[in-house]
Amino acid sequence: MQALFLTGPAHAGGYGFAAPGGYGVKVYRVNYALYPFVQLYIRTFDQNMQPLVNLNEMNIGLMIKGKSYDPMKRQYGIQSIRNRSEATRSVLVIDASKSMAGTASETALRAAARFIDSKRPQDEVAILAIRDTKEGYDLVSQFERDAGALARRLADIRIDGMKSRIYDSIGAAIQMCGMSAQGSSVDPSADNVIASCSVVVFSDGRDEGSALSREELNGRITSMRIPIPVYSLAYGKNSVDYFKNLESISKNSFGIYYSLGETYDRMQRIVEEIQNILQSDYVVTFRSYIPVDGEQHSFKVGIEYPTGSGKYYYDNGEFEAIEPPPIQAIDNYLNLLNQKIPLLPDNDPFYNRPSVQ
């Protein structure tokens, strides 16, 4: 069971990439509805934008208002999203123009089906097909958990469009993701939380007639408080020059760009890799000792990788010290967290550095 989100601002800087040989961490959501317990949803990545694996409490550095938590006092923990009940959301954007017909589109649809098959039962997928409509796309499926229903709707997509309004369609997918903070469309409740939302694009990147320009779309992406990564599978034999459009959007959105060309057989492996990334986020839960005051308080969370290297990369954000809403599901979850992270008798979770004589 998870609790309702009260979301605070994560770090507003650029999403960034890891330097060669390095790694990075991004806090993309902060939940303080369980106060004094605060949950930080983080994505980690190495220089190839792949997630760091097998992180534990000893990999975590946590600072509240400039003071470091002592890991030996066990006032925080870390879990993989893969082993929790929060759902992920994904919007598949599929280029259904005639220029993609044939082997390219058939392979893309099979890969999209594989993406759906590899999701967890609680994860939700929506589907947009880029076609000749007033909006530039068809809404093939709203967010849906039933893999069988999604597969049937995917099979109904016709590859017959005359133009490809790529930017308008990606913009619509991002807008759908923007509603994720309101909870699941299937059963919004205290124990049914959407942790993240992403966009997966199957196209050659050749835009024709979008109301949005690439620059305008990238501007919207840059201004987002919570990153919505766009993963692009760029394929096709006639439009390689347009691949850079998808590359620009993916790199600007904290996503990954995959240049396939005509190597269509790589699609299956790539969509499995994307699913692995989405399920490899972490949740850091810590107990705060700041009294309820209704104010915003700053934190930093860092990753030391590998353990003992002495090198930390940090991201920062804020949480609000407020009383939880009077909801029974939250009270039940608070009792569980109290057992896992019991209150310290001296109310001091911080590292006390030995005095230097």
Side-chain angles (χ1 to χ4, degrees):
M1 178 176 65
Q2 306 304 324
L4 287 172
F5 273 122
L6 292 179
T7 302
H11 181 52
Y15 307 148
F17 293 88
Y23 59 92
V25 56
K26 176 66 185 176
V27 179
Y28 64 82
R29 192 180 294 275
V30 182
N31 179 29
Y32 46 82
L34 299 165
Y35 199 80
F37 300 98
V38 181
Q39 294 176 318
L40 313 177
Y41 287 72
I42 65 175
R43 181 159 294 177
T44 63
F45 50 96
D46 63 17
Q47 60 182 333
N48 298 314
M49 295 300 288
Q50 296 303 303
L52 305 181
V53 298
N54 300 324
L55 298 184
N56 59 48
E57 286 76 11
M58 298 309 295
N59 295 109
I60 302 299
L62 179 65
M63 300 176 68
I64 307 300
K65 302 187 75 170
K67 299 184 67 176
S68 294
Y69 268 45
D70 186 343
M72 303 310 295
K73 295 183 179 181
R74 301 184 181 278
Q75 292 300 287
Y76 60 85
I78 182 171
Q79 289 180 299
S80 169
I81 283 285
R82 193 185 309 276
N83 301 321
R84 292 172 61 94
S85 64
E86 291 99 328
T88 67
R89 272 184 168 173
S90 305
V91 184
L92 304 184
V93 179
I94 299 173
D95 193 337
S97 61
K98 285 184 177 179
S99 62
M100 310 302 292
T103 302
S105 63
E106 292 169 3
T107 309
L109 290 173
R110 284 197 298 270
R114 179 57 190 155
F115 182 88
I116 292 167
D117 288 341
S118 59
K119 76 178 189 66
R120 300 171 303 163
Q122 69 266 41
D123 295 335
E124 302 180 8
V125 176
I127 304 171
L128 296 181
I130 303 172
R131 299 184 69 247
D132 298 326
T133 65
K134 180 180 178 182
E135 295 80 12
Y137 59 87
D138 271 339
L139 179 58
V140 177
S141 177
Q142 275 283 4
F143 287 111
E144 173 66 68
R145 291 182 176 177
D146 186 330
L150 285 164
R152 290 190 293 273
R153 293 166 191 166
L154 190 66
D156 289 337
I157 294 177
R158 292 175 294 165
I159 311 298
D160 60 0
M162 300 301 295
K163 290 187 177 182
S164 301
R165 288 168 59 180
I166 306 292
Y167 306 142
D168 288 347
S169 300
I170 295 176
I174 290 173
Q175 188 172 5
M176 291 179 70
C177 275
M179 303 299 291
S180 293
Q182 297 183 11
S184 168
S185 61
V186 179
D187 179 25
S189 63
D191 57 355
N192 185 23
V193 167
I194 303 299
S196 66
C197 192
S198 305
V199 176
V200 183
V201 182
F202 299 82
S203 177
D204 61 2
R206 182 175 183 176
D207 184 87
E208 298 171 289
S210 280
L212 276 177
S213 68
R214 191 182 82 181
E215 291 71 23
E216 289 170 330
L217 178 58
N218 272 330
R220 290 187 182 183
I221 291 170
T222 301
S223 66
M224 290 178 182
R225 182 170 57 85
I226 298 175
I228 298 174
V230 178
Y231 299 92
S232 297
L233 283 74
Y235 62 98
K237 60 182 179 179
N238 299 320
S239 305
V240 175
D241 291 342
Y242 298 98
F243 286 6
K244 65 179 181 293
N245 295 327
L246 297 176
E247 181 179 11
S248 170
I249 293 167
S250 287
K251 289 186 175 180
N252 188 44
S253 68
F254 196 52
I256 302 178
Y257 160 74
Y258 300 93
S259 178
L260 281 74
E262 295 182 73
T263 57
Y264 307 134
D265 57 337
R266 294 173 54 206
M267 285 190 185
Q268 296 275 344
R269 180 185 60 79
I270 288 171
V271 297
E272 291 174 358
E273 176 180 302
I274 295 171
Q275 276 287 14
N276 178 63
I277 292 170
L278 302 183
Q279 295 175 30
S280 295
D281 289 344
Y282 292 93
V283 181
V284 174
T285 302
F286 69 89
R287 184 168 199 142
S288 171
Y289 284 80
I290 296 174
V292 171
D293 59 9
E295 300 294 330
Q296 296 283 344
H297 299 278
S298 61
F299 69 83
K300 286 183 179 291
V301 61
I303 302 294
E304 181 193 33
Y305 192 82
T307 305
S309 66
K311 181 172 62 177
Y312 280 87
Y313 286 92
Y314 283 87
D315 198 12
N316 62 281
E318 295 180 329
F319 64 89
E320 191 173 349
I322 59 174
E323 290 185 352
I327 298 173
Q328 187 60 51
I330 287 183
D331 289 341
N332 294 340
Y333 198 63
L334 280 170
N335 288 332
L336 291 175
L337 287 174
N338 268 311
Q339 296 174 31
K340 293 181 178 179
I341 311 178
L343 184 70
L344 291 173
D346 61 0
N347 292 323
D348 182 12
F350 301 109
Y351 176 72
N352 297 308
R353 191 176 304 280
S355 61
V356 178
Q357 300 297 327

